[in-house]
Amino acid sequence: MKTIAITGVLGYSGRYIAAEAVRRGYRVIGLTDSGSRLPNPQQYELRPMPWSTGENVLAGVDILVNTYWVRFTYAGAGHAAFSHATAVENTKKLFAAAQAAGVQRIVHTSITNPDAGSGLPYFRGKAQLESALAATGIPHSILRPAILFGETPAESILLNNMAWCLRHLPAVATFGMGHYRLQPIHVQDFAELALREAGQGEPCRIIQATGPETYSFRRLWHLLAQGMGVRRPVLPVPAWFGLLAARLLGALVGDVMLTRDEIAGLSQDRLAVDAPPAGQRSLRAWVQAHAADLGRSYASELARRK
């Protein structure tokens, strides 16, 4: 039986990947610094992240699946601080631990359209980590998703909170005309893809981990509204106005709803690629199945990181 270590095993995508690994006969080790605050109903063996201990937590591990990252940089008012720069350095420590432990393969989560020359720390940091992974010489697969959705609305923060806006606001907005695209992939499709790649023998693979449907941001608003049975005007607004509105709403709910960099990434069409999809589960069908629950409560990113 091979041993697979998964970062964020008690979190979102890591939890699905771990369940899929168990179904395929792997012994699962979870890497997490959240073991004291998150439930572990499956009773996975938990080890700390490598930057939290002097021990090599990857000793005896055959395959590493890495989902660790942060959505944005946060100074820590009322919550622990986190940043893209720290996430890059921590992930490099994870790769070094894998190299020292003799890990045979790494499956690493990146992003669509990473770019080492980007002014956006999210996409720049992901590109830096792809290069750092290649430099280890460890056989690996790089998965490049845009956004994940499913299985419940609360897990799908972007989509759920768009639905929350549709339920609570008289109108919603796009930044500019909203023609930039998104290709969401279902989290179970992503988990199955990660385990498929864990068993690969090729030295290096890059997978565009996108779903089967492509939506413009404007069309995504309409998809959600139609599925939920609500009617709201979708107004094109300047990016600065959209950011101001997001900050005001974020203050209202005690969260960071959307950042300047996220608006820029959307507007630059970075969440879509021209490649065959890797997932098969339909976002349209998911919206129809979950329409009654979507947006009933706000899903807080900061609350997940307490």
Side-chain angles (χ1 to χ4, degrees):
M1 176 186 294
K2 286 193 173 183
T3 298
I4 189 166
I6 302 167
T7 63
V9 73
L10 304 180
Y12 182 21
S13 59
R15 188 171 73 255
Y16 285 86
I17 293 167
E20 186 63 28
V22 170
R23 280 192 287 271
R24 299 189 184 207
Y26 287 92
R27 173 191 173 216
V28 171
I29 292 174
L31 302 184
T32 179
D33 285 335
S34 302
S36 61
R37 66 177 180 85
L38 292 178
N40 181 17
Q42 304 305 319
Q43 295 299 301
Y44 296 123
E45 178 185 341
L46 301 181
R47 298 180 185 178
M49 298 296 260
W51 52 86
S52 302
T53 178
E55 300 178 6
N56 192 330
V57 297
L58 294 177
V61 168
D62 300 299
I63 299 162
L64 168 65
V65 180
N66 178 42
T67 69
Y68 166 72
W69 190 239
V70 297
R71 207 187 98 200
F72 49 79
T73 292
Y74 185 69
H79 301 266
F82 48 87
S83 71
H84 289 125
T86 300
V88 168
E89 292 309 308
N90 284 346
T91 306
K92 288 179 179 178
K93 292 174 183 176
L94 179 67
F95 293 162
Q99 197 170 23
V103 169
Q104 298 167 16
R105 189 169 192 88
I106 296 176
V107 180
H108 172 65
T109 306
S110 187
I111 188 67
T112 47
N113 298 299
D115 180 1
S118 174
L120 303 176
Y122 194 113
F123 294 89
R124 184 174 66 248
K126 287 292 193 180
Q128 291 168 345
L129 290 176
E130 289 192 12
S131 296
L133 177 55
T136 67
I138 301 172
H140 60 271
S141 295
I142 294 171
L143 310 183
R144 291 177 173 174
I147 62 172
L148 302 178
F149 69 95
E151 182 57 36
T152 67
E155 292 177 324
S156 313
I157 284 185
L158 173 64
L159 298 172
N160 180 78
N161 291 348
M162 288 177 71
W164 182 87
C165 290
L166 285 165
R167 290 193 187 277
H168 291 86
L169 302 178
V172 294
T174 61
F175 317 110
M177 296 307 296
H179 296 319
Y180 33 87
R181 302 165 297 159
L182 303 94
Q183 294 171 317
I185 185 170
H186 193 282
V187 67
Q188 182 58 37
D189 280 340
F190 186 74
E192 291 169 7
L193 176 62
L195 267 295
R196 187 192 79 191
E197 291 303 310
Q200 281 291 335
E202 296 181 31
C204 178
R205 287 167 58 84
I206 296 177
I207 312 297
Q208 303 297 342
T210 56
E213 298 164 349
T214 300
Y215 294 93
S216 70
F217 195 56
R218 170 174 290 276
R219 187 170 165 229
L220 187 55
W221 278 123
H222 290 300
L223 174 72
L224 291 167
Q226 183 180 36
M228 294 160 54
V230 301
R231 295 173 64 89
R232 298 288 185 272
V234 181
L235 308 176
V237 301
W240 67 265
F241 184 88
L243 179 61
L244 176 61
R247 285 177 174 173
L248 290 173
L249 285 170
L252 178 67
V253 296
D255 191 29
V256 177
M257 180 172 278
L258 202 61
T259 70
R260 185 189 305 274
D261 285 352
E262 287 175 326
I263 291 173
L266 278 169
S267 301
Q268 292 172 16
D269 204 30
R270 289 184 178 269
L271 296 183
V273 292
D274 295 320
Q280 61 181 355
R281 290 169 173 84
S282 163
L283 176 62
R284 179 178 295 277
W286 181 84
V287 169
Q288 292 171 350
H290 294 281
D293 298 322
L294 271 168
R296 291 293 180 186
S297 59
Y298 181 85
S300 171
E301 176 74 25
L302 292 181
R304 292 204 308 181
R305 294 187 170 275
K306 279 186 177 179

Coordinates of all heavy atoms in Angstrom, one line a residue, residues 35-115:
G35 N -5.3 21.0 12.9 CA -5.8 19.8 13.5 C -6.5 20.1 14.8 O -7.4 19.3 15.3
S36 N -6.2 21.2 15.5 CA -6.8 21.5 16.8 C -8.1 22.2 16.7 O -8.8 22.3 17.7 CB -5.8 22.3 17.7 OG -5.6 23.6 17.0
R37 N -8.4 22.7 15.5 CA -9.7 23.5 15.4 C -10.7 22.9 14.4 O -11.8 23.3 14.3 CB -9.4 24.9 15.0 CG -8.7 25.1 13.7 CD -8.5 26.6 13.3 NE -7.9 26.8 12.0 CZ -8.6 26.9 10.9 NH1 -9.9 26.7 10.9 NH2 -8.0 27.0 9.8
L38 N -10.2 22.0 13.5 CA -11.1 21.4 12.5 C -11.4 19.9 12.8 O -10.5 19.2 13.3 CB -10.5 21.5 11.1 CG -10.4 23.0 10.6 CD1 -9.7 22.9 9.2 CD2 -11.7 23.7 10.5
P39 N -12.6 19.5 12.6 CA -12.9 18.1 12.9 C -12.2 17.1 11.9 O -11.9 17.5 10.8 CB -14.5 18.0 12.6 CG -14.8 19.2 11.7 CD -13.8 20.2 12.1
N40 N -11.9 15.9 12.4 CA -11.2 14.9 11.6 C -12.1 13.6 11.7 O -11.6 12.6 12.3 CB -9.8 14.7 12.2 CG -9.0 13.6 11.4 OD1 -9.4 13.3 10.3 ND2 -8.0 13.2 12.1
P41 N -13.3 13.6 11.1 CA -14.2 12.5 11.3 C -13.6 11.2 10.7 O -14.0 10.1 11.2 CB -15.4 13.0 10.5 CG -15.0 14.0 9.6 CD -13.9 14.7 10.3
Q42 N -12.8 11.3 9.7 CA -12.2 10.1 9.1 C -11.0 9.5 9.9 O -10.5 8.5 9.5 CB -11.9 10.3 7.6 CG -13.0 10.9 6.8 CD -14.2 10.0 6.8 OE1 -14.1 8.8 6.8 NE2 -15.4 10.6 6.9
Q43 N -10.6 10.3 10.9 CA -9.5 9.9 11.7 C -8.2 9.7 10.9 O -7.5 8.7 11.1 CB -9.8 8.7 12.5 CG -10.9 8.9 13.6 CD -10.6 10.0 14.6 OE1 -9.6 9.8 15.3 NE2 -11.4 11.0 14.6
Y44 N -7.9 10.6 10.0 CA -6.7 10.5 9.3 C -5.5 10.8 10.2 O -5.6 11.5 11.2 CB -6.6 11.6 8.2 CG -7.7 11.4 7.1 CD1 -8.6 12.4 6.8 CD2 -7.7 10.3 6.3 CE1 -9.5 12.3 5.8 CE2 -8.7 10.1 5.3 CZ -9.6 11.1 5.1 OH -10.5 11.0 4.1
E45 N -4.4 10.1 9.9 CA -3.1 10.5 10.6 C -2.7 11.9 10.2 O -2.6 12.2 9.1 CB -2.0 9.5 10.3 CG -0.7 9.8 11.0 CD 0.4 8.9 10.5 OE1 0.2 7.8 10.0 OE2 1.6 9.4 10.7
L46 N -2.6 12.7 11.2 CA -2.2 14.1 11.0 C -0.8 14.5 11.4 O -0.3 14.0 12.4 CB -3.2 15.1 11.7 CG -4.7 14.9 11.4 CD1 -5.5 16.0 12.2 CD2 -5.0 15.1 9.9
R47 N -0.2 15.2 10.5 CA 1.2 15.7 10.8 C 1.2 17.2 10.6 O 0.4 17.7 9.7 CB 2.2 15.0 9.9 CG 2.3 13.5 10.1 CD 3.4 12.9 9.2 NE 3.5 11.5 9.3 CZ 4.3 10.7 8.6 NH1 5.1 11.3 7.8 NH2 4.2 9.4 8.8
P48 N 2.0 18.0 11.3 CA 2.1 19.4 11.0 C 2.7 19.7 9.7 O 3.4 18.9 9.1 CB 3.0 19.9 12.2 CG 3.8 18.8 12.5 CD 3.0 17.6 12.3
M49 N 2.5 21.0 9.2 CA 3.1 21.4 8.0 C 4.6 21.5 8.2 O 5.1 21.8 9.4 CB 2.6 22.7 7.5 CG 1.1 22.7 7.2 SD 0.7 21.6 5.8 CE 0.5 22.8 4.5
P50 N 5.5 21.3 7.2 CA 6.9 21.3 7.5 C 7.5 22.5 8.1 O 8.6 22.5 8.7 CB 7.5 20.9 6.1 CG 6.4 21.3 5.1 CD 5.1 21.1 5.8
W51 N 6.9 23.7 7.8 CA 7.5 24.9 8.4 C 7.1 25.1 9.8 O 7.5 26.1 10.4 CB 7.0 26.1 7.5 CG 5.5 26.2 7.3 CD1 4.6 26.8 8.2 CD2 4.8 25.7 6.2 NE1 3.3 26.6 7.6 CE2 3.4 26.0 6.4 CE3 5.2 25.0 5.1 CZ2 2.4 25.6 5.5 CZ3 4.2 24.7 4.2 CH2 2.8 24.9 4.4
S52 N 6.3 24.2 10.4 CA 5.9 24.3 11.8 C 6.7 23.4 12.7 O 6.4 23.3 13.9 CB 4.4 24.0 11.9 OG 3.6 24.9 11.1
T53 N 7.6 22.6 12.2 CA 8.3 21.6 13.0 C 9.7 21.4 12.4 O 10.0 21.7 11.2 CB 7.6 20.3 13.0 OG1 8.3 19.3 13.7 CG2 7.3 19.8 11.6
G54 N 10.6 20.9 13.3 CA 12.0 20.6 12.8 C 12.1 19.2 12.2 O 13.1 18.8 11.7
E55 N 11.0 18.4 12.3 CA 11.1 17.1 11.8 C 10.6 17.0 10.3 O 9.9 17.9 9.9 CB 10.1 16.2 12.6 CG 10.4 16.1 14.1 CD 9.4 15.2 14.8 OE1 8.5 14.6 14.2 OE2 9.5 15.2 16.1
N56 N 11.1 16.0 9.6 CA 10.6 15.9 8.2 C 9.3 15.1 8.2 O 9.3 13.9 8.4 CB 11.7 15.2 7.3 CG 11.3 15.3 5.9 OD1 10.1 15.4 5.5 ND2 12.3 15.4 5.0
V57 N 8.3 15.8 8.1 CA 6.9 15.3 8.2 C 6.6 14.4 7.0 O 5.6 13.7 7.0 CB 5.9 16.4 8.3 CG1 6.1 17.1 9.6 CG2 5.8 17.3 7.1
L58 N 7.4 14.4 5.9 CA 7.2 13.6 4.8 C 7.9 12.2 4.8 O 8.0 11.5 3.8 CB 7.4 14.4 3.5 CG 6.5 15.6 3.3 CD1 6.9 16.3 2.0 CD2 5.1 15.1 3.1
A59 N 8.6 11.9 5.9 CA 9.3 10.7 6.0 C 8.3 9.5 5.7 O 7.2 9.5 6.3 CB 9.9 10.5 7.3
G60 N 8.7 8.6 4.9 CA 7.8 7.4 4.6 C 6.7 7.7 3.6 O 5.9 6.8 3.3
V61 N 6.7 8.9 3.0 CA 5.6 9.2 2.1 C 6.0 8.9 0.6 O 7.2 9.3 0.2 CB 5.2 10.7 2.2 CG1 4.3 11.2 1.1 CG2 4.5 11.0 3.6
D62 N 5.2 8.3 -0.1 CA 5.5 8.0 -1.6 C 5.0 9.2 -2.5 O 5.7 9.5 -3.4 CB 4.7 6.8 -2.0 CG 5.2 5.5 -1.2 OD1 6.4 5.2 -1.2 OD2 4.3 5.0 -0.5
I63 N 3.9 9.7 -2.2 CA 3.3 10.7 -3.1 C 2.8 11.9 -2.2 O 2.2 11.7 -1.2 CB 2.1 10.2 -3.9 CG1 2.6 9.0 -4.8 CG2 1.4 11.2 -4.8 CD1 1.4 8.1 -5.2
L64 N 3.0 13.1 -2.7 CA 2.5 14.3 -2.0 C 1.5 15.0 -3.0 O 1.8 15.3 -4.1 CB 3.7 15.3 -1.8 CG 3.3 16.7 -1.3 CD1 2.6 16.7 0.0 CD2 4.6 17.6 -1.3
V65 N 0.4 15.4 -2.4 CA -0.6 16.2 -3.2 C -0.7 17.5 -2.4 O -1.1 17.5 -1.2 CB -2.0 15.5 -3.3 CG1 -3.0 16.4 -4.0 CG2 -1.9 14.2 -4.0
N66 N -0.4 18.6 -3.1 CA -0.3 19.9 -2.5 C -1.5 20.8 -2.9 O -1.6 21.1 -4.1 CB 1.0 20.6 -2.7 CG 1.0 22.0 -2.1 OD1 0.6 22.2 -1.0 ND2 1.5 23.0 -2.9
T67 N -2.3 21.2 -2.0 CA -3.4 22.2 -2.3 C -3.2 23.5 -1.5 O -4.0 24.4 -1.6 CB -4.8 21.6 -1.9 OG1 -4.8 21.5 -0.4 CG2 -5.0 20.2 -2.5
Y68 N -2.1 23.6 -0.8 CA -1.9 24.7 0.1 C -1.7 26.0 -0.7 O -0.9 26.1 -1.7 CB -0.6 24.5 1.0 CG -0.1 25.7 1.7 CD1 -0.8 26.3 2.7 CD2 1.1 26.3 1.2 CE1 -0.3 27.5 3.4 CE2 1.6 27.5 1.9 CZ 0.9 28.0 2.9 OH 1.3 29.2 3.5
W69 N -2.4 27.1 -0.3 CA -2.2 28.4 -0.9 C -3.1 29.4 -0.1 O -3.9 28.9 0.8 CB -2.6 28.4 -2.4 CG -2.3 29.7 -3.1 CD1 -3.1 30.5 -3.8 CD2 -1.0 30.2 -3.3 NE1 -2.5 31.5 -4.4 CE2 -1.1 31.4 -4.1 CE3 0.3 29.9 -2.9 CZ2 0.0 32.2 -4.5 CZ3 1.4 30.7 -3.3 CH2 1.2 31.8 -4.1
V70 N -3.0 30.6 -0.4 CA -3.9 31.6 0.2 C -4.5 32.4 -0.9 O -3.9 32.7 -2.0 CB -3.2 32.6 1.2 CG1 -2.6 31.8 2.4 CG2 -2.1 33.4 0.5
R71 N -5.8 32.8 -0.7 CA -6.5 33.6 -1.8 C -6.0 35.0 -1.9 O -6.0 35.5 -3.1 CB -8.0 33.6 -1.5 CG -8.9 33.7 -2.7 CD -10.4 33.8 -2.3 NE -10.8 35.2 -2.3 CZ -11.8 35.7 -1.7 NH1 -12.6 35.0 -0.9 NH2 -12.1 37.0 -1.8
F72 N -5.7 35.6 -0.8 CA -5.2 37.0 -0.9 C -4.3 37.3 0.3 O -4.2 36.4 1.2 CB -6.4 38.0 -0.9 CG -7.4 37.7 0.2 CD1 -7.2 38.1 1.5 CD2 -8.6 37.0 -0.1 CE1 -8.1 37.8 2.5 CE2 -9.5 36.8 0.9 CZ -9.3 37.1 2.2
T73 N -3.6 38.4 0.3 CA -2.8 38.8 1.4 C -3.6 39.5 2.4 O -4.4 40.4 2.1 CB -1.6 39.7 0.9 OG1 -0.7 38.9 0.2 CG2 -0.9 40.3 2.1
Y74 N -3.5 39.2 3.7 CA -4.3 39.8 4.8 C -3.4 40.2 5.9 O -2.6 39.4 6.4 CB -5.4 38.8 5.2 CG -6.4 39.4 6.2 CD1 -7.3 40.4 5.8 CD2 -6.4 38.9 7.5 CE1 -8.2 40.9 6.7 CE2 -7.3 39.4 8.4 CZ -8.2 40.4 8.0 OH -9.1 40.9 8.9
A75 N -3.6 41.4 6.5 CA -2.7 41.9 7.5 C -3.0 41.3 8.9 O -2.2 41.4 9.8 CB -2.8 43.4 7.6
G76 N -4.2 40.8 9.1 CA -4.4 40.0 10.3 C -5.3 40.8 11.3 O -5.2 40.5 12.5
A77 N -6.1 41.7 10.9 CA -7.0 42.4 11.9 C -8.1 41.5 12.3 O -9.0 41.2 11.6 CB -7.6 43.7 11.2
G78 N -8.0 41.0 13.6 CA -9.0 40.0 14.1 C -8.7 38.6 13.7 O -9.4 37.7 14.2
H79 N -7.8 38.3 12.8 CA -7.5 37.0 12.4 C -6.0 36.9 12.2 O -5.3 37.9 12.2 CB -8.2 36.7 11.0 CG -9.7 36.8 11.0 ND1 -10.5 35.8 11.2 CD2 -10.4 37.9 10.9 CE1 -11.8 36.2 11.2 NE2 -11.7 37.5 11.0
A80 N -5.5 35.7 12.0 CA -4.1 35.5 11.8 C -3.7 36.0 10.4 O -4.5 35.9 9.4 CB -3.7 34.0 11.8
A81 N -2.6 36.7 10.3 CA -2.1 37.3 9.1 C -1.7 36.2 8.1 O -1.2 35.1 8.5 CB -1.0 38.3 9.3
F82 N -1.8 36.4 6.8 CA -1.3 35.5 5.8 C -1.0 36.3 4.5 O -1.5 37.4 4.4 CB -2.2 34.4 5.5 CG -3.7 34.8 5.2 CD1 -4.1 35.2 4.0 CD2 -4.6 34.8 6.3 CE1 -5.4 35.5 3.7 CE2 -5.9 35.2 6.1 CZ -6.3 35.5 4.8
S83 N -0.1 35.8 3.7 CA 0.3 36.6 2.5 C 0.7 35.6 1.4 O 1.1 34.5 1.7 CB 1.4 37.5 2.8 OG 2.6 36.8 3.0
H84 N 0.7 36.1 0.2 CA 1.2 35.3 -1.0 C 2.7 35.1 -0.8 O 3.1 33.9 -1.1 CB 0.9 36.1 -2.3 CG -0.5 36.1 -2.7 ND1 -1.2 37.3 -2.9 CD2 -1.4 35.1 -2.8 CE1 -2.5 37.0 -3.2 NE2 -2.6 35.7 -3.2
A85 N 3.4 36.1 -0.4 CA 4.9 35.9 -0.2 C 5.2 34.8 0.8 O 6.1 33.9 0.5 CB 5.5 37.2 0.2
T86 N 4.5 34.7 1.9 CA 4.7 33.7 2.9 C 4.3 32.3 2.3 O 5.0 31.3 2.5 CB 3.9 34.0 4.1 OG1 4.4 35.2 4.7 CG2 4.1 32.9 5.2
A87 N 3.2 32.3 1.6 CA 2.8 31.0 1.0 C 3.8 30.5 0.0 O 4.0 29.3 -0.1 CB 1.4 31.2 0.3
V88 N 4.4 31.4 -0.8 CA 5.5 30.9 -1.7 C 6.6 30.3 -0.9 O 7.1 29.2 -1.2 CB 6.0 32.1 -2.6 CG1 7.2 31.7 -3.3 CG2 4.9 32.5 -3.6
E89 N 7.1 31.0 0.1 CA 8.2 30.5 0.9 C 7.9 29.2 1.6 O 8.7 28.2 1.7 CB 8.7 31.5 1.9 CG 9.4 32.7 1.2 CD 10.4 32.4 0.2 OE1 11.4 31.6 0.6 OE2 10.4 32.8 -0.9
N90 N 6.7 29.1 2.2 CA 6.3 27.9 2.8 C 6.2 26.7 1.9 O 6.6 25.6 2.2 CB 4.9 28.1 3.5 CG 5.0 28.9 4.8 OD1 6.0 29.1 5.3 ND2 3.8 29.3 5.2
T91 N 5.7 26.9 0.7 CA 5.6 25.8 -0.3 C 6.9 25.4 -0.8 O 7.2 24.2 -1.0 CB 4.7 26.3 -1.5 OG1 3.5 26.8 -1.1 CG2 4.5 25.1 -2.5
K92 N 7.9 26.3 -0.9 CA 9.3 25.9 -1.2 C 9.8 25.0 -0.1 O 10.5 24.0 -0.4 CB 10.1 27.1 -1.4 CG 9.9 27.9 -2.7 CD 10.8 29.1 -2.8 CE 10.5 29.8 -4.1 NZ 11.3 31.0 -4.2
K93 N 9.5 25.2 1.2 CA 9.9 24.4 2.3 C 9.3 23.0 2.2 O 9.9 22.0 2.5 CB 9.6 25.0 3.6 CG 10.4 26.3 3.9 CD 9.9 27.0 5.2 CE 10.6 28.3 5.4 NZ 10.1 29.1 6.6
L94 N 8.0 23.0 1.7 CA 7.3 21.7 1.5 C 8.0 20.9 0.4 O 8.2 19.7 0.6 CB 5.9 22.0 1.1 CG 5.0 20.8 0.8 CD1 4.7 20.0 2.1 CD2 3.6 21.3 0.2
F95 N 8.4 21.5 -0.7 CA 9.1 20.9 -1.8 C 10.4 20.3 -1.3 O 10.9 19.2 -1.6 CB 9.3 21.8 -3.0 CG 8.0 22.2 -3.7 CD1 8.0 23.3 -4.5 CD2 6.9 21.5 -3.5 CE1 6.8 23.6 -5.2 CE2 5.7 21.8 -4.2 CZ 5.7 22.9 -5.0
A96 N 11.2 21.1 -0.5 CA 12.5 20.7 0.0 C 12.3 19.5 1.0 O 13.1 18.6 0.9 CB 13.1 21.9 0.8
A97 N 11.3 19.5 1.8 CA 11.0 18.3 2.6 C 10.7 17.1 1.8 O 11.2 16.0 2.1 CB 9.8 18.6 3.6
A98 N 10.0 17.3 0.7 CA 9.7 16.1 -0.2 C 11.0 15.6 -0.8 O 11.1 14.4 -0.9 CB 8.7 16.6 -1.2
Q99 N 11.8 16.5 -1.2 CA 13.1 16.1 -1.8 C 13.9 15.3 -0.8 O 14.5 14.3 -1.1 CB 13.8 17.4 -2.3 CG 14.9 17.1 -3.3 CD 15.4 18.4 -3.9 OE1 15.3 19.5 -3.3 NE2 16.0 18.3 -5.1
A100 N 14.0 15.8 0.4 CA 14.8 15.2 1.4 C 14.3 13.8 1.8 O 15.0 12.9 2.2 CB 14.9 16.1 2.7
A101 N 13.0 13.7 1.8 CA 12.3 12.4 2.2 C 12.3 11.4 1.1 O 11.9 10.3 1.4 CB 10.9 12.7 2.7
G102 N 12.7 11.8 -0.1 CA 12.6 10.8 -1.2 C 11.2 10.6 -1.8 O 10.9 9.5 -2.3
V103 N 10.3 11.6 -1.7 CA 9.0 11.4 -2.2 C 9.1 11.2 -3.7 O 9.9 11.8 -4.4 CB 8.2 12.7 -2.0 CG1 6.9 12.7 -2.8 CG2 7.9 12.9 -0.5
Q104 N 8.3 10.2 -4.2 CA 8.4 9.8 -5.6 C 7.7 10.6 -6.6 O 8.1 10.7 -7.8 CB 7.9 8.3 -5.7 CG 8.7 7.3 -4.8 CD 8.0 6.0 -4.7 OE1 7.1 5.7 -5.5 NE2 8.4 5.2 -3.7
R105 N 6.6 11.3 -6.2 CA 5.9 12.1 -7.1 C 5.1 13.2 -6.3 O 4.6 13.0 -5.2 CB 4.9 11.3 -7.9 CG 4.2 12.1 -9.1 CD 3.4 11.3 -10.0 NE 3.1 12.1 -11.2 CZ 3.9 12.2 -12.3 NH1 5.1 11.6 -12.3 NH2 3.5 13.0 -13.3
I106 N 5.0 14.4 -6.9 CA 4.2 15.5 -6.3 C 3.1 15.9 -7.3 O 3.4 16.0 -8.5 CB 5.1 16.7 -6.1 CG1 6.1 16.4 -5.0 CG2 4.2 17.9 -5.6 CD1 7.1 17.5 -4.7
V107 N 1.9 16.0 -6.8 CA 0.8 16.6 -7.6 C 0.5 17.9 -6.9 O 0.1 18.0 -5.8 CB -0.5 15.7 -7.5 CG1 -1.6 16.3 -8.3 CG2 -0.1 14.3 -8.1
H108 N 0.7 19.0 -7.7 CA 0.7 20.4 -7.2 C -0.4 21.2 -7.8 O -0.6 21.1 -9.0 CB 2.1 21.0 -7.5 CG 2.1 22.5 -7.2 ND1 2.0 23.0 -5.9 CD2 2.3 23.6 -8.0 CE1 2.1 24.3 -5.9 NE2 2.2 24.7 -7.2
T109 N -1.1 21.9 -7.0 CA -2.2 22.8 -7.4 C -1.7 24.1 -7.8 O -1.2 24.8 -6.9 CB -3.3 22.9 -6.4 OG1 -3.8 21.6 -6.0 CG2 -4.5 23.7 -6.9
S110 N -1.9 24.5 -9.0 CA -1.4 25.9 -9.5 C -2.7 26.7 -9.8 O -3.7 26.7 -9.1 CB -0.5 25.7 -10.7 OG 0.1 27.0 -11.0
I111 N -2.7 27.4 -10.9 CA -3.8 28.2 -11.4 C -3.7 28.4 -12.9 O -2.7 28.2 -13.5 CB -3.7 29.6 -10.7 CG1 -5.0 30.5 -11.0 CG2 -2.5 30.4 -11.2 CD1 -6.2 29.9 -10.3
T112 N -4.9 28.6 -13.5 CA -4.9 28.9 -14.9 C -4.0 30.2 -15.2 O -4.1 31.1 -14.4 CB -6.3 29.1 -15.5 OG1 -7.0 30.0 -14.5 CG2 -7.1 27.8 -15.5
N113 N -3.2 30.1 -16.2 CA -2.4 31.3 -16.7 C -1.5 31.8 -15.6 O -1.5 33.0 -15.4 CB -3.4 32.3 -17.2 CG -4.2 31.9 -18.4 OD1 -3.6 31.5 -19.4 ND2 -5.5 31.9 -18.2
P114 N -0.7 31.0 -15.0 CA 0.4 31.5 -14.1 C 1.4 32.4 -14.9 O 1.6 32.1 -16.1 CB 1.0 30.3 -13.5 CG 0.8 29.2 -14.5 CD -0.5 29.5 -15.1
D115 N 2.0 33.4 -14.3 CA 2.8 34.3 -15.1 C 3.8 34.9 -14.1 O 3.5 35.7 -13.3 CB 1.9 35.4 -15.7 CG 2.7 36.4 -16.5 OD1 3.9 36.3 -16.6 OD2 2.0 37.3 -17.0

